[in-house]
Every structure is written in C-alpha cells, then in structure tokens.
Amino acid sequence: MSDPWLNFQYTIEFSDSSRDNSGLCSVISISSQAIKRGTSSYYENPVKGGPVKHYVYGDTYTEPMNISIMLGEGARPWLKWFSSVQSGKSAQLRNITISLLKYGADPYGADKAKIWLRWNLLNCFPSSWQLSGFGVDDSPSPMKIDMTLQFESMTINDGNDELHEVMG
C-alpha cells in the first residue's frame, strides 16, 4: 500500500498581492527550526543563604525557514522580488502563505475550501536563494528555487479560522 501522505500538496504564494501576481508555486520541501524565546539568567546573592538563580525571558524570534519550490510560471514574482533585493532598490518585506491542501486536491484549482491548513508568514525577507536542477540523471532536469526566508511572525489557520498566533 502506498503512503497517503505523499498525495498531500503544499503551495506557497504572496498573500499581499493581486491574483495575477501571487507567485503561486508548488513546494518541494520545507525545513524550519523551532521558534525560540530569548532567555537569560543571573544569580542573586542574598544576605542569608546561597545564591539564587533568576531567569529573564525575552521576545520570541524565528530561525530562517528553508523552502524549495518548483520553477514554473508562478516563480516569476519570486525572481523579481529576489532581483529587487539583490539590486538594492528596496528591502521590501512581503507576507507569504504556505498552504497544505486536502488529500487529492488540485494545487492550482480556484476552490479555497480544499485548503486544510495555512501558515501565514508575516514580514518576510529572503536572506538567500539559489536556482538549481533536481539532479535527475540522464534526462533534462526541472529547475527549482532553494530559498531561505526570515520572517517576523506567523499565524496558523484551519481553513478560514485562526488556530493560533504563534508569534507577534
């Protein structure tokens, strides 16, 4: 029996642009570190007794997220964004949506009801990107974009209902 999780599809797109320029692409892989909270500690030496350790908790922060996407028609807005950043014209922050589609759903269909979970990454900035091939031997290999995105905050949605604001 085949693994049913292989039939789930992830898509990525800009969530703050028109449909014509959404950058909708299929996701090949996602790698992310845990969201972290800045911590520190110090010792207090009271007059009586031994030293007491105190903890100070700071703001939450994220490690960059590594994402690989298929290079197709939807990749043009991504390449324009990278080119804009590389040329130094603007450090434009973008909001990005990663969607997990329900089993067997068409990733490019217009029916948003087929979205199972959605991660909204707010104020993203590409810290690196690279175009490369899949490395399929003895055949023309499709191209992909490997990118590393830094983001300020993230929310997780179940369809249209917000499940949890992870950060921010």
Side-chain angles (χ1 to χ4, degrees):
M1 182 172 173
S2 65
D3 186 354
W5 285 100
L6 296 176
N7 293 315
F8 284 92
Q9 302 241 353
Y10 290 87
T11 60
I12 189 168
E13 63 185 319
F14 294 118
S15 52
D16 54 355
S17 63
S18 69
R19 190 69 183 154
D20 297 13
N21 200 19
S22 70
L24 180 64
C25 292
S26 293
V27 174
I28 301 166
S29 67
I30 302 171
S31 173
S32 177
Q33 301 295 323
I35 295 171
K36 299 178 181 180
R37 179 175 288 274
T39 60
S40 181
S41 63
Y42 66 93
Y43 284 96
E44 178 184 358
N45 291 316
V47 176
K48 295 183 181 181
V52 177
K53 189 172 188 177
H54 295 279
Y55 292 94
V56 178
Y57 296 99
D59 293 332
T60 56
Y61 63 96
T62 62
E63 294 289 328
M65 184 177 286
N66 299 310
I67 302 173
S68 294
I69 63 174
M70 292 278 287
L71 186 64
E73 187 60 37
R76 186 176 304 274
W78 294 93
L79 297 172
K80 286 181 181 178
W81 187 36
F82 301 153
S83 177
S84 169
V85 170
Q86 187 171 9
S87 67
K89 291 181 183 175
S90 67
Q92 183 182 13
L93 300 177
R94 302 290 302 260
N95 296 332
I96 294 172
T97 300
I98 300 173
S99 300
L100 171 60
L101 304 178
K102 292 181 182 175
Y103 181 81
D106 176 14
Y108 299 102
D111 187 7
K112 292 289 187 182
K114 296 189 183 222
I115 294 175
W116 189 23
L117 287 173
R118 187 172 56 232
W119 293 264
N120 294 310
L121 308 177
L122 306 176
N123 295 327
C124 293
F125 184 81
S127 56
S128 69
W129 58 89
Q130 179 179 355
L131 290 167
S132 60
F134 277 123
V136 179
D137 295 337
D138 299 328
S139 66
S141 57
M143 298 294 289
K144 66 178 179 171
I145 300 174
D146 297 313
M147 60 182 151
T148 302
L149 298 175
Q150 182 66 54
F151 57 97
E152 287 181 10
S153 63
M154 174 173 56
T155 60
I156 302 173
N157 296 60
D158 178 9
N160 291 326
D161 301 324
E162 187 172 303
L163 292 175
H164 186 60
E165 183 174 340
V166 178
M167 300 183 57

